[in-house]
Amino acid sequence: MKKKYRKLPRNTDYSAYRHPRWWPTWLGIFLMWCVSRLPIRVQWWLGKMAGLLAFRLARSRRHIAEVNIRLCFPELTSAQQSALVRKAFIANGIGLLELGIAWFRNPAKLTGITRVHGLEHFEDALAGGRGVLLLGGHYSTLDLGGSLVTEFIEADVMQRDHNNPLMNAVMTRARERRYGTVLGARDLRGLFRSLKKNRAVWYATDQDYGRKDIVFAPFFGIPAGTITATSRIAERSGCKVVPFSHFRRDDGPGYDIYFHPVLENFPSGDDLQDATLINQTIEREVRRAPDQYLWMHRRFKTRPDENDPGFYKRR
């Protein structure tokens, strides 16, 4: 079914999803809507329970997270690594429930518990007139953090479409209410049009996209396949690259959004140097709240040598 979904064009017209085969998806969406109306503390508790359930049942994803955290935090004891894996599932479980807030409620209601740091860095970059590439990462607050960002700045977004066309329609329509333009992951022409209009575009590079157009740059000390497209985009458009991140607070319901200074000497003309700088920047933010990163992704799946043994094979 997934392969069939991938071949379908993006269709955000809900009338196209009346067939009974879409009813289970509609039921899931309705439940998300219902949960989104609950107080945020209740949602966080439910998210914690969902994360713990996934921790127990999603053994393959837990194995991936265990491998990633063992590789990236060798200084931690085995017990500390296991505790971090558990916390990561909890954080991502909460993030899953926060999708409902991002998609079905007005995040403006959360601005009172949201703190923004370094907004002047973004404003200075945008004043350059060549657009801004917001260098983000796959944190557990992915959708809600992005929605909250648009309460303080105007931005477009690039997204990888969901495999399920109905879920993708809901996600896209929700994001269209928050962002100026929702671009496809491969829509580079649209990206350059946005930058030419001096727009900001949310862009994440911290996943393994295979061997095409990559270099192997260290991420937590491990050679990680890192795309070189960020350098090409900045070189061609003249845009500024501003790292930013968003995290859930530990001291009570609330969120922090961080904008950082423009990447200096970027692009440098050296793809490996640029990729290393990007990975170092994202790593620094991950260390701010290690449990709130998407450790369930096989970040080190592509190895420098195709004959190198994979990290994720079960013993």
Side-chain angles (χ1 to χ4, degrees):
M1 184 67 80
K2 286 185 178 181
K3 291 183 179 179
K4 182 178 179 182
Y5 282 158
R6 288 179 186 275
K7 295 178 182 179
L8 295 176
R10 182 190 290 178
N11 185 354
T12 60
D13 182 358
Y14 286 163
S15 65
Y17 305 101
R18 294 173 178 172
H19 192 277
R21 78 184 181 109
W22 298 114
W23 291 358
T25 303
W26 277 120
L27 177 60
I29 292 168
F30 176 69
L31 291 176
M32 288 178 63
W33 182 90
C34 291
V35 171
S36 73
R37 321 315 291 180
L38 298 173
I40 192 168
R41 288 182 181 272
V42 176
Q43 292 189 53
W44 281 18
W45 182 84
L46 290 174
K48 177 180 179 179
M49 295 300 104
L52 289 174
L53 183 63
F55 176 76
R56 295 294 182 186
L57 300 181
R59 294 184 178 180
S60 62
R61 290 296 172 182
R62 187 177 71 203
H63 171 70
I64 293 170
E66 288 170 345
V67 170
N68 285 335
I69 287 174
R70 185 172 68 247
L71 291 172
C72 295
F73 298 94
E75 71 277 11
L76 299 181
T77 66
S78 178
Q80 290 172 327
Q81 291 173 353
S82 297
L84 181 53
V85 171
R86 185 176 183 273
K87 289 180 66 177
F89 270 86
I90 291 174
N92 281 275
I94 295 172
L96 180 64
L97 266 69
E98 287 172 337
L99 286 177
I101 303 176
W103 292 3
F104 305 123
R105 298 189 66 178
N106 183 1
K109 297 182 181 298
L110 298 180
T111 55
I113 58 173
T114 301
R115 298 186 298 221
V116 181
H117 312 264
L119 184 59
E120 67 276 7
H121 300 307
F122 169 80
E123 293 172 340
D124 291 345
L126 196 65
R130 304 295 295 273
V132 172
L133 207 60
L134 288 170
L135 182 64
H138 286 78
Y139 311 108
S140 67
T141 51
L142 186 68
D143 261 78
L144 182 55
S147 293
L148 288 171
V149 163
T150 61
E151 286 298 313
F152 303 94
I153 67 172
E154 291 185 5
D156 299 332
V157 64
M158 299 193 78
Q159 74 172 26
R160 177 193 177 278
D161 286 348
H162 198 285
N163 290 329
N164 183 315
L166 174 53
M167 288 297 291
N168 190 67
V170 174
M171 177 178 72
T172 302
R173 287 175 62 146
R175 289 176 174 177
E176 285 176 342
R177 291 193 295 270
R178 306 300 305 164
Y179 299 93
T181 305
V182 179
L183 302 165
R186 300 178 182 274
D187 188 6
L188 290 179
R189 289 185 178 180
L191 170 63
F192 284 116
R193 282 196 299 268
S194 290
L195 294 174
K196 189 174 182 179
K197 295 175 184 177
N198 197 31
R199 299 279 298 174
V201 182
W202 189 96
Y203 187 73
T205 65
D206 60 326
Q207 293 199 328
D208 191 314
Y209 298 103
R211 290 193 173 276
K212 186 177 180 181
D213 299 324
I214 65 170
V215 293
F216 287 92
F219 184 58
F220 284 87
I222 309 298
T226 308
I227 60 174
T228 59
T230 314
S231 299
R232 304 285 83 77
I233 293 168
E235 180 181 28
R236 177 176 168 183
S237 67
C239 71
K240 302 293 185 181
V241 180
V242 174
F244 91 113
S245 58
H246 33 81
F247 298 102
R248 195 178 301 111
R249 291 210 295 272
D250 289 331
D251 58 355
Y255 302 89
D256 285 290
I257 298 171
Y258 298 90
F259 293 95
H260 298 282
V262 170
L263 294 185
E264 296 291 342
N265 190 32
F266 188 94
S268 66
D270 183 326
D271 286 342
L272 179 57
Q273 180 177 320
D274 292 346
T276 299
L277 176 60
I278 287 172
N279 285 354
Q280 287 175 342
T281 301
I282 296 173
E283 177 181 334
R284 182 189 66 227
E285 293 308 292
V286 172
R287 289 185 181 277
R288 190 188 296 273
D291 60 308
Q292 294 190 42
Y293 191 62
L294 187 63
W295 294 111
M296 300 76 180
H297 170 71
R298 291 185 294 172
R299 182 64 185 90
F300 308 108
K301 177 180 63 176
T302 304
R303 302 298 310 279
D305 188 326
E306 294 186 42
N307 297 318
D308 288 343
F311 287 124
Y312 303 103
K313 294 180 180 179
R314 290 181 179 272
R315 297 177 181 176

